[in-house]
Amino acid sequence: MEVYVTRRVPERVREELEASFHLRYRDSEQPPTRSELLSGVAGVDGLVTMLTDRVDDELLDAAGPSLRVVANYAVGYDNVDVEACARRGIVVTNTPDVLTRATAELTIALVLALLRRIVEGDRFLRRREPWIWAPTFMLGIGLEGRRLGLVGLGRIGLEVARLASALGMEVAYATRTPRCDVPYEALSLRDLLAHADVVSIHTPLTQETHHLIGAPELALMRPTAILVNTARGPVVDEEALADALEAKTIAGAALDVFEREPEVCARLLALENVVLCPHLGSATLETREAMGMLCVSALREVLLEGRTPANAVPTQSSH
Ligand code: NAP
């Protein structure tokens, strides 16, 4: 069976893939160009795709009828037209659970980096500014007793809630469906935005969540509140966010994801009260290996065992 891997993966994952499949392996950290991707997929049985690879009708046509499984190396699958795959009987899989802890940890790290002014302090020292310890020097904000408002309370949101609770934060959340299995307060999105000191986004990117946080939503936030996004860039209207930050109608933002990755809005780069991270939510070796191993087992299940993997993503007909 032939599998196309669109990007370099950890060595252990490559070895496991090679043990079961004939690989077309792109040994590069750079994504393929669209034409490279379209020619690379021709005639393959399986695909390992990254969130930057758009899987749509055009790509599926280019792959041809042999393609049976798309293993997306991410939990989010907004880059994949799942219905187009379903129409052709192609299984799409993602990598849930194994990256939950790493992404939740990065979220807490970003909150601390911003509220305790760690990145700002680092920049300050590297500029060789004069300084001395003083009771009023570069004061930040502690987490204890602060209100954390989670937009989305799935796997990652719930882990952020657990870690934040251990740090003494009060947690509330907004989802479409309130959960009865959690000890956190469910609020409407409007109430959550008006109430939270820290608003953190943990929804998938869908048509419904595109620009879920725009100018009207930012206007509901408190002037002392910060916005954290470790979900997907387009969930936040980046220009509206830059407006709010420049006008100081909110106090800061910490972002791991961007609307037009890898581009970062120049207005955000210019602001001191913004912490930026190059999409590192799941970026630990053990997590990236575990994500890769989920892709390997999905490919094996579909192509070698004729089974549907547990991490197959739902289609409209399976709802
Ligand atoms: P999940 O378990 O599916 O949770 C998604 C949550 O979002 C659910 O609570 C869902 O609840 C809520 N939601 C969906 N649509 C909503 C809406 N319109 N308004 C409010 N809430 C909504 O997903 P997960 O594993 O936690 O991952 C979440 C996302 O994080 C992924 O899709 C991915 O894009 C992103 N992510 C980023 C990184 C990174 O590197 N930065 C790493 C991993 C994941 P309801 O359906 O009840 O609304």
Side-chain angles (χ1 to χ4, degrees), residues 215-227:
E217 290 73 27
L218 291 162
L220 293 168
M221 288 176 61
R222 300 149 67 94
T224 50
I226 63 162
L227 181 74

Side-chain angles (χ1 to χ4, degrees), residues 75-76 78 99 103 151-157 174-177 202-205 208-209 212 230-232 256-257 279-282:
V75 69
D78 45 276
L99 44 56
T103 310
V151 184
L153 194 76
R155 289 168 292 242
I156 297 169
T175 51
R176 290 168 304 180
T177 328
H202 301 285
T203 65
L205 173 61
E208 205 182 330
T209 63
L212 183 66
T230 58
R232 283 289 182 267
D256 186 42
V257 287
H279 206 144
L280 298 180
S282 66

Side-chain angles (χ1 to χ4, degrees), residues 229-234 238 254-259 261 277-280:
N229 188 6
T230 58
R232 283 289 182 267
E238 228 165 59
L255 307 171
D256 186 42
V257 287
F258 304 93
E259 215 178 331
E261 283 182 27
C277 214
H279 206 144
L280 298 180

Side-chain angles (χ1 to χ4, degrees), residues 102-214:
T103 310
E105 279 178 2
L106 189 93
T107 305
I108 298 292
L110 285 174
V111 173
L112 283 168
L114 183 60
L115 290 183
R116 297 301 308 275
R117 305 175 68 173
I118 295 170
V119 181
E120 185 187 345
D122 182 87
R123 279 194 296 259
F124 172 87
L125 288 180
R126 287 169 199 272
R127 285 198 303 269
R128 300 220 171 256
E129 302 259 357
W131 69 284
I132 191 76
W133 187 95
T136 52
F137 172 61
M138 212 177 260
L139 303 185
I141 291 166
L143 297 191
E144 194 164 24
R146 302 288 164 191
R147 290 176 295 210
L148 172 65
L150 297 167
V151 184
L153 194 76
R155 289 168 292 242
I156 297 169
L158 200 55
E159 186 66 4
V160 172
R162 208 179 62 77
L163 296 175
S165 301
L167 293 166
M169 297 189 84
E170 289 170 18
V171 179
Y173 70 97
T175 51
R176 290 168 304 180
T177 328
R179 297 179 58 146
C180 49
D181 58 340
V182 296
Y184 310 115
E185 189 183 4
L187 294 174
S188 68
L189 180 59
R190 285 184 68 84
D191 288 348
L192 186 94
L193 293 167
H195 149 108
D197 299 304
V198 175
V199 173
S200 188
I201 301 168
H202 301 285
T203 65
L205 173 61
T206 61
Q207 276 177 4
E208 205 182 330
T209 63
H210 183 266
H211 283 191
L212 183 66
I213 307 297

Side-chain angles (χ1 to χ4, degrees), residues 75-95:
V75 69
Y77 47 86
D78 45 276
N79 57 309
V80 181
D81 184 340
V82 177
E83 296 312 316
C85 291
R87 283 195 296 276
R88 299 164 194 245
I90 297 166
V91 177
V92 179
T93 65
N94 66 346
T95 64

